[in-house]
Amino acid sequence: MADKKFYLTTPIFYPNAKLHLGHAYTTTVSDILVRYHRLMGEKTYFLTGSDENTQKMVDAARKDGKEPLEFLDGIVARFSSLFSELSISYDQFIRTTDQKAHWPGAQALWQKLVEAGDIYKKEYEGLYCVGHEAFITEKDLVDGKCPDHGTAPEFIKEENYFFRLSKYSDAIRQKIESDELLIVPATRKKEILSFIAQGLEDVSFSRPRKADWPQGLGIPVPGDDSQVMYVWCDALSNYITALGYGQGGELYEEFWPGMHVIGKDILRFHAAIWPGMLLSAGLPLPKTLLVHGFITSGGKKMSKTLGNVIDPEELLAEYGTDAVRCFLARHISPFEDGDITREAFKDAYNADLANGLGNLSARIMQLAATHLEQGTRPEAAEFPAEYIQAMEKFEINKAAEFIWSRIQALDQKITEQAPFKLVKTDLEAGKKIIFDLTQELYVIGCMLNPIMPETSKKIKDAVAANQKPENLFARHD
Ligand code: MSP
């Protein structure tokens, strides 16, 4: 097992605004999966980062009265502080303005596409949506605006380098059909296959360097400084540049190919353009794409105007890291859209944590501290098959559901077998039940490790020390 490798990436985030709960979701799901594989004894590598060479970031910086590169540092510092509050255990945070870590690899990959004869120059005109960082077509527009971003696209006429993605339509389709590139859930696999069946078109892969972009923003196209790489070409390559691709990186040899966690809105980039680039360069395709849904609030897309935006920092300040992770893991399906409101969060917190896990741990350990001798060591925990199966299939919510079914079963056991009464009439029998309860609580503590790392440790420590855990979760009213 020790030489089994697990490489997982999050998407790299656009640093034009603060991250919201949707972004926190992608990252938390990723972290739970990595922690699970680490728990299973695998060697893991976990990458996250920011997608910085973008027009939307430049616009946001200028609106804020700042120079883009200075603005970036401020936003990226907030990303890492949010990730640390969420206990995200990443190994590396890649920034696409990093000229040492990212640019050489991105340029080496571009060069491979050139060598394969897949890059050509073309005069092009089209409608560019800055929100998507992609060209869109007339028929995508509603009242002249992009329906996802509510903004009118820019009309662009320019000479670009194009990537011959069309050449790889069949090869990509085969890799996806055969699950060599596994797309989870199956509905997303179907969706992308029907998109590919129409035939993939070549993609504009560079833009003329903008006069108002500072030096240091935008990766120069090798051999043509007047052009910078298209931001998606630049961004996707982060998954291997971070491992030192193109620079003799050992991490690349060790960990690529890996798995990408993404939201449903960026499926085409990851299941068409990215495999196309890798095929062109003769590199292995990712093993898995886990495609999650969107988080809504009160059934609606979170938006400032509706006032339903949920700020992860506020939730974290009010309820703590593990409570937020628990909600995202247990109450949102990793495969479909999910909803959250403050009310639903509070109710779930009280039921799952204050009355559920917190109360159960306190009850069991109170009994143990009173009746068991010190030094009653927990035995090594075996992970139940249901838990393993759910986690291996990325069904984090099912794994959590299983843990909570165990919590309920233990609650019931205490009520039915009433060890607190039994100790008065048959001390040894009462102690045996209490001991068994501590062992089962220990297994719950172990299973919680990927979802709620701190709580997991507290529970395991409490069982090992035969003590009541510190106040775990106070009720919120
Ligand atoms: N920069 C690109 C990704 C490049 S990866 C090579 C990007 N960035 S993003 O900041 O807009 O989005 C990052 C991730 O957050 C995406 O996976 C996206 O699906 C996810 N989410 C954004 N809003 C979301 C919700 N409301 N709910 C769940 N996830 C959503 O796209």
Side-chain angles (χ1 to χ4, degrees):
M1 191 60 104
D3 58 357
K4 213 169 153 193
K5 306 280 164 55
F6 185 77
Y7 173 44
L8 185 142
T9 70
T10 71
I12 49 173
F13 298 92
Y14 287 132
N16 51 311
K18 274 176 37 168
L19 297 180
H20 58 58
L21 201 71
H23 305 119
Y25 181 69
T26 305
T27 319
T28 305
V29 163
S30 300
D31 187 65
I32 292 172
L33 293 174
V34 174
R35 283 182 189 265
Y36 165 75
H37 285 269
R38 219 179 270 142
L39 185 65
M40 293 297 120
E42 292 169 38
K43 198 167 177 199
T44 60
Y45 199 80
F46 182 13
L47 177 70
T48 189
S50 50
D51 189 354
E52 306 189 345
N53 299 304
T54 68
Q55 188 58 43
K56 60 172 107 198
M57 183 283 294
V58 175
D59 294 345
R62 300 251 153 91
K63 208 168 147 199
D64 204 32
K66 295 213 172 81
E67 273 313 302
L69 294 174
E70 170 205 353
F71 174 82
L72 272 175
D73 288 340
I75 292 248
V76 169
R78 295 193 66 170
F79 284 11
S80 36
S81 94
L82 174 66
F83 290 174
S84 114
E85 280 169 56
L86 271 170
S87 281
I88 305 300
S89 58
Y90 59 86
D91 294 292
Q92 190 186 153
F93 189 104
I94 182 99
R95 298 183 54 177
T96 57
T97 49
D98 189 329
Q99 300 191 24
K100 287 206 180 83
H102 178 61
W103 290 21
Q107 289 174 327
L109 183 60
W110 177 284
Q111 206 57 49
K112 287 276 177 202
L113 310 191
V114 171
E115 284 162 23
D118 292 335
I119 296 287
Y120 62 94
K121 234 178 175 177
K122 183 171 128 178
E123 174 80 30
Y124 187 68
E125 55 179 60
L127 297 168
Y128 193 82
C129 169
V130 172
H132 275 107
E133 295 289 1
F135 282 101
I136 58 178
T137 62
E138 198 89 46
K139 67 175 187 329
D140 295 327
L141 305 179
V142 176
D143 298 332
K145 291 182 176 168
C146 162
D148 293 340
H149 297 97
T151 47
E154 265 177 74
F155 176 75
I156 285 174
K157 185 172 178 186
E158 60 194 24
E159 196 170 52
N160 292 332
Y161 289 98
F162 268 67
F163 171 55
R164 219 180 288 283
L165 180 61
S166 57
K167 182 171 151 189
Y168 297 99
S169 292
D170 274 347
I172 297 169
R173 182 178 49 72
Q174 278 165 22
K175 299 273 184 192
I176 296 175
E177 268 172 355
S178 67
D179 291 340
E180 214 179 312
L181 167 53
L182 177 68
I183 300 185
V184 182
T187 45
R188 298 288 168 213
K189 172 178 169 180
K190 225 173 120 189
E191 174 188 324
I192 195 71
L193 281 173
S194 71
F195 175 70
I196 297 173
Q198 301 159 26
L200 296 172
E201 287 177 15
D202 291 354
V203 200
S204 159
F205 242 36
S206 73
R207 308 285 315 276
R209 172 177 288 290
K210 290 236 174 152
D212 66 339
W213 275 29
Q215 274 303 321
L217 198 70
I219 309 180
V221 165
D224 185 351
D225 275 2
S226 71
Q227 296 259 330
V228 296
M229 286 183 198
Y230 170 46
V231 61
W232 274 99
C233 162
D234 155 355
L236 289 161
S237 66
N238 94 88
Y239 298 136
I240 58 175
T241 63
L243 300 179
Y245 168 79
Q247 306 201 73
E250 283 167 19
L251 286 171
Y252 175 79
E253 294 305 324
E254 191 173 1
F255 286 103
W256 185 255
M259 155 170 191
H260 305 308
V261 173
I262 58 168
K264 64 180 183 182
D265 56 328
I266 54 176
L267 174 63
R268 288 183 187 181
F269 298 99
H270 285 80
I273 299 182
W274 179 226
M277 290 166 71
L278 292 166
L279 285 168
S280 169
L283 302 176
L285 301 198
K287 290 184 197 154
T288 314
L289 283 182
L290 171 62
V291 191
H292 66 73
F294 260 45
I295 298 194
T296 54
S297 180
K300 300 205 174 69
K301 189 176 163 179
M302 288 184 217
S303 88
K304 278 199 195 134
T305 6
L306 288 174
N308 65 347
V309 176
I310 301 207
D311 179 353
E313 278 165 0
E314 270 172 35
L315 278 186
L316 285 161
E318 203 173 333
Y319 292 92
T321 303
D322 279 3
V324 174
R325 294 175 63 106
C326 177
F327 185 92
L328 297 178
R330 177 156 149 74
H331 297 285
I332 311 266
S333 153
F335 303 154
E336 283 153 41
D337 290 351
D339 197 65
I340 178 172
T341 58
R342 277 172 211 288
E343 211 44 42
F345 188 94
K346 189 176 82 182
D347 291 348
Y349 171 89
N350 285 329
D352 296 342
L353 298 176
N355 302 341
L357 178 64
N359 187 34
L360 178 80
S361 318
R363 269 172 100 190
I364 295 178
M365 292 319 299
Q366 176 67 50
L367 284 168
T370 317
H371 299 289
L372 301 185
E373 288 76 36
Q374 279 300 332
T376 317
R377 292 269 152 223
E379 287 150 18
E382 278 269 333
F383 289 95
E386 291 94 324
Y387 171 80
I388 301 271
Q389 277 158 17
M391 281 296 201
E392 292 290 332
K393 289 196 276 180
F394 321 116
E395 292 171 342
I396 293 169
N397 57 338
K398 281 207 182 146
E401 201 51 56
F402 175 74
I403 299 174
W404 261 268
S405 73
R406 284 284 179 109
I407 292 172
Q408 275 157 12
L410 283 199
D411 260 331
Q412 208 175 341
K413 187 166 167 179
I414 300 177
T415 311
E416 281 168 16
Q417 305 190 354
F420 42 91
K421 278 194 201 146
L422 194 58
V423 283
K424 293 181 192 143
T425 54
D426 184 344
L427 182 61
E428 284 315 306
K431 276 164 70 173
K432 171 78 174 71
I433 295 173
I434 296 169
F435 176 77
D436 289 348
L437 288 168
T438 62
Q439 298 304 296
E440 291 180 60
L441 180 64
Y442 191 77
V443 177
I444 289 176
C446 292
M447 289 193 287
L448 280 172
N449 169 294
I451 301 174
M452 303 168 79
E454 199 187 329
T455 306
S456 160
K457 182 168 184 320
K458 280 188 188 164
I459 292 177
K460 284 165 34 187
D461 287 352
V463 177
N466 203 38
Q467 268 172 15
K468 234 176 118 171
E470 315 152 38
N471 219 352
L472 278 180
F473 300 101
R475 248 193 94 79
H476 280 233
D477 290 305

